[in-house]
Amino acid sequence: MPGQHTESPGARAAAPSTPSAPQVTGEPMTGAQSLVRSLESVGVETVFGIPGGAILPLYDPLMDSEKIRHILVRHEQGAGHAAEGYAQATGRIGVCMATSGPGATNLVTAIADAYMDSVPIVAITGQVSSKVIGTDAFQESDIVGITMPITKHNMLVTDPAEIPRAVAEAFHIAGTGRPGPVLVDVSKDALQAQTTFSWPPKLDLPGYRAVTRPHNKQIREAARLLTTAERPVLYVGGGVIKAGASAELLRLAELTGAPVVPTLMALGALPDSHPQNLGMPGMHGTVAAVTALQKADLLISLAARFDDRVTGNLDSFAPHAKVVHADIDPAEIGKNRAADVPIVGDAKEVIAELLLAVEAEHAAGRQADLSAWWTQLDGWRQAYPLGHTPAPEGEVSPQDVLARISAISGPESIYVAGVGQHQMWAAQFIDYENPRTWINSGGLGTMGYAVPAAMGAKAGSPDSVVWAIDGDGCFQMTNQELATCVINQIPIKVAVINNSSLGMVRQWQNLFYNGRFSNTDLHTSVGSRIPDFVKLAEAYGCVGLRCESPDDVDATIKKAMEINDVPVVIDFVVHRDAMVWPMVPAGVSNDLIQIARDTAPDFEREN
């Protein structure tokens, strides 16, 4: 089936090896035909896009391709997020297309999102003819210049002979080293001109050398610290999933006995059910995870970047800890927190080497006793488990909705979240047992991400149940992609957590602005239904359901699970003032974590 992936879950996103592609030389064709042939040669099966004037020459030969499935989206931002969802779910490189000018600029948000979260996508844009570039021609924009800060690499191609090389380089760069977005902008006259197709092209990238194998000396020092530390923590980032290193992480955790703290982007890297998993750290992390980082004497950071949402006030973050920082991107090491032991390398190779070094330390009789540390950690877990305040009588609890979706749909499903309260509740109350089953916009925090990204994930993993967990604000930004899902038979399930508000902003207004709810009321369920999400879903050809009673939550989810031929949209009308806890207010120390309003953990009592 077009779009079906063959990689095992957690496989490193990588471009197909160009030397293994068929050797083709000297075949005459247009630049557009050359571009289609190049995409086929790197193994592209699915492309999300919208045609327009500058890229129209490409769409004609694309129609003849028997290898590439083009999915016509309703907005270019949807194409970009769909490519991200496809990449995150499958481990392959996502591809999106747009025309020049506004078509290309509509991709910018998705490209920036992919850049922040290290998602391998290739964006192909049409450009006005080379002779009028720089004249403010109709639908001209300097998309290469615009996206320079938010792409791993980008290029403008005006010579049709350069198209195969540009495509091969784009896929190589996007999928190797630290993954990320690459943009290829092709002028209209290059697409129309005659050329000769030659494959594979020679890759000549003298400035690009991704280091994957770590230095042995640094690995040995990290192992020494890990086997002598009394309060170690394995601080795990999303790069572990991208590297396909979940199995190695499990072995390292069990070999060392150290607690594991997976970030928002790393949920599923270690099963939530594993006893050494303390849960997510950061602004809305568990008390045990946040406090473990603060009290640790050693942080082994694996493909994480010390993001401000994790560290809180950086000066007070993990004040007693030495830091081993392993990352494939040397620019991340020491960027926010100085590393005592810097390790540049691919997470899978780093952990594999670290396993050998730790085993050697154990063989030499060096292994720390972590029983006192675990007594402390378990005390925090027992005293401050993840929970929530029940909703008022007769109202639906958003946390309960997500917990029930998790229980009924199961850990093999893929969950794709938008941004806001519903995203945090999805991170907290859905159980993630496998890598690549949790997809969300982490670094950029892009509202409108869920529906198109879920569409891309389902296109790439058609045999998986795919849920878009969305808010009533996020959903209204990109729900037009439901039409794309219906027409292309991509039956996602959408849970709209409808509190009639921009929920996270309302929470901050409640906590920090004296309850002055300025411009956060969306009128989607309180006092009116503008729009009515059930009617909207039905207008798009989907099944629309509504749940307004806690007694109906399970039955509504089960009904959605029974429908697998068209998308399903569920309007869960939930308690409006439910809040996300725990919470570390922005910019303060993680020591000031709160478990409810004006309520902090009593660590002295626990001790």
Side-chain angles (χ1 to χ4, degrees):
M1 174 182 289
Q4 176 70 51
H5 73 287
T6 57
E7 288 80 356
S8 60
R12 149 95 41 205
S17 176
T18 51
S20 64
Q23 301 286 328
V24 180
T25 58
E27 187 176 349
M29 59 182 65
T30 66
Q33 290 171 320
S34 175
L35 182 47
V36 172
R37 187 72 62 85
S38 297
L39 293 174
E40 292 175 341
S41 297
V42 294
V44 173
E45 296 177 348
T46 305
V47 173
F48 304 90
I50 301 180
I55 204 170
L56 195 57
L58 175 62
Y59 270 79
D60 187 63
L62 185 61
M63 190 176 184
D64 297 326
S65 176
E66 297 180 355
K67 297 180 180 179
I68 298 175
R69 176 193 190 190
H70 179 275
I71 295 176
L72 175 62
V73 298
R74 295 304 181 266
H75 191 286
E76 290 89 354
Q77 182 182 349
H81 292 324
E84 289 187 272
Y86 179 94
Q88 294 280 62
T90 67
R92 303 190 66 189
I93 295 172
V95 184
C96 54
M97 288 182 181
T99 195
S100 65
T105 58
N106 280 345
L107 284 177
V108 167
T109 295
I111 292 170
D113 190 277
Y115 185 73
M116 289 286 279
D117 288 345
S118 303
V119 180
I121 67 171
V122 171
I124 297 170
T125 53
Q127 184 54 274
V128 299
S129 292
S130 59
K131 292 179 181 179
V132 296
I133 290 176
T135 69
D136 293 330
F138 177 67
Q139 290 194 333
E140 179 189 1
S141 66
D142 179 12
I143 195 62
V144 168
I146 290 169
T147 60
M148 193 170 291
I150 55 169
T151 50
K152 189 176 177 185
H153 185 61
N154 64 23
M155 62 194 92
L156 170 63
V157 181
T158 59
D159 181 353
E162 293 297 312
I163 288 173
R165 178 193 57 79
V167 170
E169 288 181 358
F171 278 78
H172 176 71
I173 293 171
T176 57
R178 179 179 182 172
V182 176
L183 180 134
V184 181
D185 194 33
V186 188
S187 66
K188 185 173 183 178
D189 54 332
L191 293 173
Q192 293 172 319
Q194 288 293 314
T195 185
T196 55
F197 179 75
S198 178
W199 193 272
K202 180 181 179 182
L203 297 184
D204 185 18
L205 299 166
Y208 182 71
R209 292 288 185 271
V211 176
T212 61
R213 189 173 181 82
H215 195 286
N216 285 335
K217 180 181 178 182
Q218 305 298 86
I219 289 289
R220 289 195 301 270
E221 178 61 13
R224 185 190 68 80
L225 291 173
L226 185 52
T227 52
T228 56
E230 296 178 352
R231 300 185 306 279
V233 174
L234 299 179
Y235 162 44
V236 176
V240 168
I241 292 177
K242 290 179 173 64
S246 295
E248 289 79 5
L249 173 65
L250 176 62
R251 288 176 55 205
L252 181 65
E254 294 183 342
L255 178 64
T256 62
V260 179
V261 173
T263 67
L264 176 69
M265 300 305 295
L267 298 179
L270 186 75
D272 279 356
S273 59
H274 196 283
Q276 288 171 244
N277 191 331
L278 298 185
M280 182 177 73
M283 177 175 279
H284 295 295
T286 67
V287 171
V290 171
T291 310
L293 291 174
Q294 289 300 97
K295 304 298 184 184
D297 62 359
L298 175 67
L299 298 185
I300 303 288
S301 175
L302 300 168
R305 57 186 183 87
F306 292 89
D307 173 75
D308 63 289
R309 280 298 198 260
V310 168
T311 67
N313 181 283
L314 190 60
D315 293 338
S316 62
F317 175 70
H320 310 295
K322 288 189 174 182
V323 172
V324 175
H325 192 175
D327 202 287
I328 198 165
D329 184 356
E332 286 296 342
I333 299 176
K335 184 179 78 174
N336 294 325
R337 172 67 180 258
D340 297 279
V341 182
I343 303 175
V344 178
D346 176 82
K348 191 179 185 77
E349 295 194 38
V350 168
I351 300 174
E353 294 292 329
L354 193 53
L355 280 165
L356 296 175
V358 169
E359 289 172 348
E361 291 289 317
H362 287 178
R366 289 183 286 272
Q367 185 170 4
D369 180 2
L370 303 183
S371 57
W373 182 221
W374 273 109
T375 297
Q376 198 170 27
L377 295 171
D378 287 336
W380 295 331
R381 285 204 286 200
Q382 292 166 12
Y384 306 107
L386 196 60
H388 63 91
T389 302
E393 181 71 25
E395 294 194 44
V396 177
S397 159
Q399 298 96 327
D400 287 345
V401 167
L402 293 166
R404 295 311 299 156
I405 289 175
S406 176
I408 294 169
S409 193
E412 300 303 319
S413 298
I414 296 173
Y415 302 93
V416 185
V419 170
Q421 286 182 314
H422 62 279
Q423 174 192 27
M424 294 297 102
W425 289 323
Q428 292 175 335
F429 293 98
I430 293 175
D431 296 323
Y432 300 102
E433 298 294 302
N434 303 294
R436 298 194 183 278
T437 55
W438 164 245
I439 300 171
N440 79 127
S441 171
L444 197 64
T446 304
M447 292 181 67
Y449 177 87
V451 170
M455 176 177 70
K458 182 67 172 179
S461 302
D463 296 330
S464 297
V465 174
V466 178
W467 283 89
I469 309 296
D470 226 347
D472 46 315
C474 285
F475 181 63
Q476 293 188 76
M477 292 190 174
T478 53
N479 61 38
Q480 66 269 24
E481 299 308 335
L482 290 173
T484 310
C485 291
V486 170
I487 291 170
N488 290 277
Q489 299 180 323
I490 305 173
I492 64 172
K493 304 181 192 303
V494 182
V496 180
I497 308 302
N498 183 359
N499 58 9
S500 201
S501 300
L502 297 171
M504 188 62 85
V505 184
R506 181 183 172 91
Q507 174 168 332
W508 281 46
Q509 288 173 334
N510 209 331
L511 294 174
F512 308 121
Y513 293 90
N514 300 315
R516 288 165 54 84
F517 301 121
S518 172
N519 291 281
T520 48
D521 192 344
L522 294 178
H523 301 278
T524 50
S525 64
V526 177
S528 58
R529 286 197 168 110
I530 304 173
D532 184 317
F533 291 139
V534 172
K535 292 180 180 178
L536 181 69
E538 291 171 348
Y540 276 124
C542 306
V543 172
L545 305 173
R546 180 172 288 119
C547 177
E548 298 183 275
S549 167
D551 295 334
D552 296 333
V553 170
D554 277 25
T556 306
I557 296 169
K558 289 177 181 177
K559 185 173 182 180
M561 290 294 293
E562 293 171 357
I563 301 168
N564 295 302
D565 55 346
V566 294
V568 183
V569 177
I570 308 175
D571 180 14
F572 286 104
V573 179
V574 301
H575 172 40
R576 193 176 200 187
D577 287 315
M579 292 196 189
V580 183
W581 298 106
M583 181 176 181
V584 179
V588 306
S589 171
N590 283 351
D591 291 327
L592 301 180
I593 188 171
Q594 295 184 355
I595 53 175
R597 188 166 190 164
D598 301 322
T599 306
D602 188 349
F603 292 116
E604 291 187 6
R605 185 191 68 184
E606 293 309 314
N607 289 336

